């Protein structure tokens, strides 16, 4: 089902993101002298085999709104930087204390805690540097993108979700758990989809549909993560399974069981899919939506 | 010397910054529910008695360029947020491991390491949220401010200075030490002065003079900090003196002695002072420059 055009196009978009991230990284590493360790730590995590789902969504929503994908590259790369920053800080000993990420030592295991802390800080900041400097965007677009990214990254979004995760470890009721998912995972996906639309100069209707799509997709995505933590293949995932249960962490799948969770993820994916109808050129996004439901890593 | 008008005006500007920070904080805390702990931790550090030097410089350079100070409030508050973020992360156990800051327990001693980490992240991000949303600035001005703040905060500026500090703890030669001072302290002061000019719509000449001023002032400022770590009053400083020597840390004052360091700080201050001549309304800035040289906390 996902062969041919879809696989080719996914690779094309992923390569485009990687090339732009590599170029940004190369520029940042120039004349850096004593500070080269930080560029290495940032790049280590940035190129550690992430699936690039957020930037691919950004480019695809830009295209779906009739825009040129190139225009969405600053937003796409900024989002991947924010995502990577959050993973580095999440893995630190004072947070989840994870030694591995995507099958490789996590940033603080490879570079030490101080450098991992600073690499995360630098990536969050570099996201805004990218929004301010990269590409040929108008000041209005850059300002709108800064507003989006900062809103969904901050206390009302991803960081707020991390706070709930930190405060309520293990003692979730379902409502609080879904709120946490919506913020910790959903918020940055909303930013990814909306920032793609903004990069194309799309209207409020497109933004609202993109946000509803991301809300559904984000929840489905997180539930699938929960299922994979119970049933997944450690080699494919690049991390040990059963870590949630081991950490005494309630998840949607542990509360509701694998079968019911699979049904919920499928229903959410179908609802997300339906939101794509208003976009002009949404074939790739529709395939991507189904592909994410069926992923096994 | 610094009585009357100067003291009144310094208080007026500081109060203006505090009121705007308080208002931003109040808005951020609304409807925050389970996440109220993070707003508390952010506010704890943000209102821990900082001298507000950076935001006061921003407002004053805006005024010196003929602008209305109100227009510089978003930039001023964003800078204080970035400064506070850097202090919270600097105090963490994996960095300087400082239990006290301005006479109060540091953020992680009061709220735990995870919450301090997230409060720092949230403050860095909130700086950009403030630049994107606060006040009545044009998109061009907001974009220019985002570019400035991200440049001077990042690997080329403050965070780069923290990296050098982390990597070279105790083994500095004078050149590397001055580079580190220029980045760790100077970069954010450059941002403060330049962003004030930008908020007033000033030209490139003003920006260049503001940057030279900040370079001199930043170095003088750091050397005075070094001197106070040797000769200062613990009660006034709100921290223990002698911490640099105790940590085996070379500073400009430990390498060159207190007397020679005082002379250097005085000379740098005079050079900074001279850069202010091109500005229309620089009386307050001139007084502020001398005031910072003579500070004892």
């Amino acid at each position: 089902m996902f062969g041919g055009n879809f696989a080719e196009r996914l690779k094309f978009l992923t390569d485009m993101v990687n090339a732009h991230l590599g170029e940004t990284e190369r520029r940042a590493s120039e004349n850096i002298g004593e500070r080269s360790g930080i560029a290495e730590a940032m790049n280590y995590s940035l190129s550690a085999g992430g699936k690039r789902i957020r930037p691919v969504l950004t480019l695809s929503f830009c295209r779906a709104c009739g825009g040129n994908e190139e225009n969405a590259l600053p937003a796409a790369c900024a989002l991947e930087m924010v995502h990577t920053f959050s993973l580095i800080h999440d893995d630190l000993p004072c947070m989840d204390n994870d030694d591995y990420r995507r099958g490789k030592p996590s940033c603080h295991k490879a570079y030490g805690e101080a450098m991992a802390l600073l690499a995360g800080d630098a990536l969050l900041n570099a996201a805004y540097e990218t929004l301010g400097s990269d590409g040929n965007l108008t000041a209005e677009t850059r300002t709108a993108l800064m507003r989006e990214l900062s809103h969904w990254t901050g206390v009302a979004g991803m960081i707020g979700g991390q706070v709930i995760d930190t405060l309520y470890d293990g003692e979730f009721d379902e409502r609080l758990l879904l709120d946490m998912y919506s913020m910790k995972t959903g918020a940055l996906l909303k930013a990814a989809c909306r920032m793609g639309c903004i990069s194309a100069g799309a209207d409020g209707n497109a933004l609202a549909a993109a946000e509803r799509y991301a809300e559904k997709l984000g929840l489905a995505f997180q539930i699938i993560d929960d299922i994979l933590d119970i049933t997944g293949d450690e080699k494919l995932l690049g991390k040990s399974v059963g870590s949630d249960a081991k950490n005494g962490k309630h998840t949607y799948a542990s509360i509701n069981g694998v079968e019911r969770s699979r049904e919920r993820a499928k229903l959410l994916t179908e609802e997300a899919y339906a939101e794509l109808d208003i976009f002009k050129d949404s074939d790739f996004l529709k395939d991507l939506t189904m592909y994410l439901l069926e992923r096994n890593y």
Side-chain angles (χ1 to χ4, degrees), chain A residues 155-205:
Chain A
V155 170
M158 188 188 72
I159 293 174
Q162 291 175 297
V163 171
I164 298 180
D165 200 10
T166 302
L167 289 176
Y168 287 82
D169 216 16
E171 297 171 38
F172 284 101
D173 61 32
E174 188 168 320
R175 186 202 60 81
L176 191 56
L177 190 74
L178 293 182
D179 274 2
M180 196 264 279
Y181 286 179
S182 168
M183 294 171 76
K184 205 177 162 180
T185 309
L188 217 54
L189 290 170
K190 285 179 197 168
C193 300
R194 287 176 56 99
M195 287 166 78
C197 300
I198 291 169
S199 300
D203 65 12
N205 283 339

Side-chain angles (χ1 to χ4, degrees), chain A residues 10 17 38 48 62 73 77 88 90-91 143 147 150 161 165 190 209 225 233 253 260 268 274:
Chain A
L10 182 60
V17 169
I38 183 107
C62 179
L73 273 172
C77 291
I88 294 175
D90 250 354
D91 286 343
T143 300
R147 205 176 279 143
S150 59
D165 200 10
K190 285 179 197 168
D225 258 7
D233 179 324
R260 225 181 108 194
L268 286 162

